[in-house]
Structure formats: C-alpha cells, structure tokens
Amino acid sequence: MNAKLTPRDLLDRLVSFPTVSRDTNLPLMDFVEEYLDGYGVKAHRVYDATGQKCNLYAHVGPEVEGGVVLSGHTDVVPIDGQDWHTDPFTVVEKDGKLFGRGTTDMKGFDALALAAVPLALERGIKRPLQLALSYDEEVGCIGAPFMIDEMKTTLPRASAVIVGEPTGMQTVTGHKGTTGLDVTVHGFEVHSSLLHTGVSAIMIAAQLVEWCRQQTAANMAREPDPVAAIFEPPFTSLHVGVMNGGTAHNITAKTCRFTVDIREVPTESPAEWVAKFRAEAARLEAEARKIRPEARIEISQYSASPGLRPEDDPTAEPLVRQLTGDNGTHVVSYGTEAGQFQERGYSTAICGPGDIAMAHQPNEYITVDQFQKGEAFMHRLIDHLVES
C-alpha cells in the first residue's frame, strides 16, 4: 500500500510531469498506474496510434452499475513565449495561490480524484467510483472517445459523469460544440495580368471565408431556440483565425491555407455544418476546374468535440447540485469532453475547482480555497457513494 499522499502531494507530482500536448504523457500515467496499484486498483490503458500517449481508466469499489465517473485530462498547453515568474512545472504556493502549469486546467481536479481513491476504499463505498484520465484534450478532445467506448464495454455502467474542468465549483450543464477544419486551396500560378487563365487560391479561399461570415450573420439574425438562448452568443459561429498563401503581388496564388473554427450550439449537428462547408467548397472547386483541372480544395478535420446540452432527465446534474449546493443555471463557452460522454449515453455535468480565466495563462494558478473546496466536494461524493 502507498504511503498515503495528500491531495497537495498528488498535485505536486502531477504538475511535475511536463505533459504538454505535443509530448508524451506516459511518465505521468506510469505514476498514476503505480499509485492505483498500491491500493489494489487495476488501471487500464488505451493508447494512441503512436504508442506515446494513452488514456487511463479505473474502477474502484463493487462491480455494480450506478457509480460515478470522475473525468479529467492529463495534457497541458505549452509555456513557450510566456513570462513565468516561477518554474511552471513546480507547484509554488504564494499569497493563497498554487502556481504551476495545469494547476487549474486541470491537474488540480485530477489530483483530487486520485486522492478520493483511498478514501473510497476506506469508507467502503456501495456504488463504484470510476476514474477516466485522457490525452490530447487541449488539441481537440482527441483521446477521450477511444477510452469512453472501451469503458462502456468493460466497466459496469455509471449513472453519472463529472467532468472536472474549472467552473469555480459551480454546476455547469451546457457548452457549445467545437469543430476545427484545416483547409488548403490549390490554384494555378500565372502572371496577374493574365489572371483569367489561372486560378488564385487566395481568391477562392476568400469566397469560403465570406461564406463563413454570411452563415454566422444568418445565424445571428435568427431567433434562438430555448437551448441556444442560454449561451453567449446564442448562435453557431464560424470563424477564420489563421490564413496564409501566395508568393507575390503580381502572381495568382498557387496555394492558400486557412483554418475554420465552428462553435455549434448543442441543438445543431457538427456533422451537418461540416457537410455544408464541404458542399460550398465542392461548388467553388468545380468552378475553378473549368479554368484549370489542377485546382482543388483539401479539407481535413482536426477537432470535433460535440456540445453538452441540458438533459431532460438527468442524474449527473442533481447529484452535482446536491454536492455543491449550487442551484444556478450555468453554461460555458469553452469545449470539454463532457459532450463526448453525453453522446455515448452517459448523464454528464461539469464541475471542478479553479477559474477558467487562469487556464493557459502565464503564472497559472488555483487558489488554495478553491482546491480545498474541491477536496470537500470529493468527501461529500464519497459519503454519497457510501450511503447509496
């Protein structure tokens, strides 16, 4: 059995692993697996295609349905170019704050979830506690779906999932979906004085960007449905944040690359928006090929995270409200893995310590008060699983 680590001990250890999304998270997962094994809890890994990253899930307590999943991601965003006043991968306490990369987003919650394991075993929970730790959440919620699909087939079905993104310990029941598209337009270079004989990739890309603007404007003008109305803004938006192409002012651009960020309200289908964009791209491509058959438009989807919508008959929401005492209506604009659990049939809510405004920032921190409130939440959750 482990020498018992406190939640703060666990936070220190987790932050010490520099699990930036571009790098491996396996050393952190090795630590987690060894920690769980010390309590007789078996961990299961689900690797990515490279074998350099993995998800990890575990089941604590009786082999019965009706448990609770605590879900968190293990990756963090880079520190490149940020002005840190302390070592980002060492937790430093100062003025009631715990500084370090991932303290808020979201190794603080991960540490609290791990600390709940020995407490659950000591108390003799009657319904299980399940842990779900993912990779590559920060680059598009890529890893979690593979883990969730496996959990559905190998573990007793949980009745609630709590995704511990930072909400200030409020009960969040909705967020928008996020879809990312990488678009490359291939044209044909000619001197701009003969532009009618060539195909400008930039000019075609500009038409697609304008199409995105028009769709957003049309969405904004419509009356939002009741679910969309609770979001700010209350409509699906399409945004182009990066664009580059061309070689000279007097040459039709051979290539142009840009990205599209679609933020869908939960009542709209991400797949349908992608299909609409592809259809418009196909129309423009057909026109361009009448001039030069080499012209084409490549579209790849680099992220797809469905929205989370308030549930008609929830089990996660009332549980989290019971544990927090929060009866307010809260939705967030950022994406999480909650929608991926929900679309696979799990009742899901979001609740975790910390302030999302501190996520991804230099000198990221979680307050000691928020961390302690998260710890108290875990104790109440264990009480609930004991009394069930």
Side-chain angles (χ1 to χ4, degrees):
M1 183 68 69
N2 294 315
K4 190 170 181 180
L5 298 177
T6 67
R8 173 60 195 276
D9 292 334
L10 288 162
L11 178 63
D12 290 351
R13 293 297 302 275
L14 294 181
V15 170
S16 72
F17 295 101
T19 50
V20 176
S21 304
R22 65 189 173 216
D23 300 321
T24 182
N25 71 341
L26 296 186
L28 181 149
M29 291 306 202
D30 290 341
F31 164 74
V32 172
E33 186 166 8
E34 181 180 356
Y35 171 84
L36 293 174
D37 184 65
Y39 291 105
V41 175
K42 179 175 176 54
H44 305 268
R45 298 192 184 202
V46 183
Y47 285 89
D48 74 345
T50 70
Q52 295 303 304
K53 299 178 183 179
C54 74
N55 301 300
L56 183 149
Y57 66 91
H59 179 98
V60 183
E63 294 290 323
V64 297
E65 295 188 347
V68 175
V69 178
L70 298 177
S71 166
H73 61 81
T74 62
D75 59 320
V76 296
V77 297
I79 60 170
D80 305 34
Q82 294 188 334
D83 182 20
W84 280 79
H85 300 163
T86 61
D87 178 356
F89 300 109
T90 299
V91 178
V92 175
E93 182 172 351
K94 183 179 179 180
D95 300 328
K97 302 172 182 176
L98 302 171
F99 292 89
R101 174 56 87 221
T103 49
T104 286
D105 188 19
M106 55 180 298
K107 290 181 176 179
F109 179 84
D110 294 345
L112 295 168
L114 290 172
V117 171
L119 182 63
L121 294 172
E122 291 168 7
R123 295 288 309 282
I125 53 177
K126 294 183 175 64
R127 285 197 289 140
L129 180 72
Q130 296 175 354
L131 303 182
L133 302 178
S134 68
Y135 69 86
D136 278 2
E137 188 273 350
E138 295 289 7
V139 292
C141 296
I142 293 172
F146 306 108
M147 172 176 58
I148 302 168
D149 290 340
E150 189 168 308
M151 291 173 66
K152 285 177 59 179
T153 61
T154 60
L155 298 184
R157 186 58 172 249
S159 63
V161 175
I162 301 171
V163 177
E165 293 280 1
T167 68
M169 299 309 299
Q170 292 182 323
T171 306
V172 169
T173 58
H175 66 70
K176 288 186 177 182
T178 58
T179 301
L181 302 178
D182 196 340
V183 185
T184 303
V185 181
H186 298 272
F188 188 85
E189 288 182 313
V190 297
H191 193 280
S192 60
S193 64
L194 300 171
L195 60 83
H196 65 291
T197 65
V199 173
S200 170
I202 288 178
M203 298 294 279
I204 294 175
Q207 291 179 78
L208 282 169
V209 173
E210 171 61 10
W211 181 87
C212 290
R213 187 200 67 79
Q214 291 176 356
Q215 298 302 307
T216 300
N219 293 342
M220 187 184 307
R222 282 196 295 269
E223 185 72 22
D225 64 45
V227 172
I230 63 178
F231 289 90
E232 177 59 36
F235 53 84
T236 293
S237 61
L238 292 82
H239 171 255
V240 175
V242 176
M243 187 176 190
N244 57 75
T247 55
H249 74 278
N250 59 352
I251 302 175
T252 57
K254 184 177 182 179
T255 60
C256 183
R257 178 177 178 270
F258 63 97
T259 59
V260 181
D261 176 65
I262 308 174
R263 303 278 171 162
E264 312 95 356
V265 295
T267 47
E268 296 182 7
S269 166
E272 288 185 8
W273 276 108
V274 173
K276 289 179 182 179
F277 183 86
R278 287 186 180 277
E280 179 64 11
R283 184 185 71 80
L284 293 172
E285 181 182 79
E287 289 183 358
R289 284 187 169 182
K290 293 176 183 177
I291 302 171
R292 296 298 312 189
E294 301 93 336
R296 69 188 192 279
I297 302 174
E298 297 177 352
I299 303 170
S300 62
Q301 187 168 328
Y302 62 84
S303 69
S305 176
L308 176 73
R309 60 181 299 168
E311 297 169 357
D312 294 331
D313 186 23
T315 53
E317 178 186 346
L319 170 61
V320 175
R321 292 193 185 285
Q322 174 187 338
L323 298 177
T324 61
D326 173 31
N327 291 314
T329 299
H330 308 288
V331 297
V332 294
S333 57
Y334 57 85
T336 80
E337 295 164 338
Q340 295 172 328
F341 277 96
Q342 188 180 66
E343 74 173 356
R344 287 163 173 78
Y346 287 94
S347 179
T348 307
I350 307 169
C351 183
D355 181 352
I356 192 62
M358 290 311 307
H360 304 185
Q361 299 298 309
N363 306 304
E364 176 183 352
Y365 68 81
I366 187 171
T367 65
V368 172
D369 178 67
Q370 276 288 300
F371 194 62
Q372 291 174 342
K373 286 180 178 177
E375 185 177 3
F377 174 92
M378 292 299 176
H379 280 265
R380 290 192 291 271
L381 173 61
I382 298 305
D383 288 343
H384 172 78
L385 295 175
V386 169
E387 296 164 1
S388 300

